[in-house]
Amino acid sequence: MSTLALVPPRATGAIETYEWKDGRTVTFRGRVRFKGGRYRIDFGTNHEGWNIDRAQVELDNILRQCERGTWAPPEQAPTPAPAAPEDETLHL
């Protein structure tokens, strides 16, 4: 009888690019599958100095962190509640 160690699947990733309607701007993103979840990380635009090579380096760094167990998925920013106008009053 052999015993198999349960090893979680390796983290995988890919680079996505999104071309804006202006025809000049490109957004670079990383897609990461880690511990059963799918995450999309926006790196930046070509105007901010991002290109496919830089995005690949960043994605490789994230995947190495996943293998070490030190990467934490980005938290979703909570959507702020709409503020009531200051001149609005409540009458009982």
Side-chain angles (χ1 to χ4, degrees):
M1 179 159 107
S2 68
T3 58
L4 298 174
L6 296 177
V7 178
R10 291 186 65 180
T12 59
I15 300 296
E16 288 182 345
T17 58
Y18 173 77
E19 294 185 23
W20 293 29
K21 290 181 182 179
D22 67 5
R24 299 182 334 225
T25 308
V26 179
T27 298
F28 295 90
R29 298 181 179 121
R31 270 191 341 210
V32 177
R33 292 181 70 105
F34 178 62
K35 291 186 178 179
R38 291 187 234 177
Y39 306 96
R40 180 179 288 161
I41 301 108
D42 286 339
F43 296 136
T45 67
N46 57 331
H47 299 298
E48 298 170 329
W50 286 90
N51 58 35
I52 196 74
D53 295 329
R54 184 177 174 194
Q56 187 63 52
V57 168
E58 186 64 26
L59 179 64
D60 291 343
N61 288 337
I62 290 171
L63 293 177
R64 279 195 295 278
Q65 290 175 5
C66 290
E67 288 176 10
R68 289 191 305 260
T70 59
W71 186 72
E75 292 184 18
Q76 297 274 338
T79 306
E86 290 183 24
D87 60 346
E88 185 176 310
T89 59
L90 178 64
H91 296 279
L92 298 175

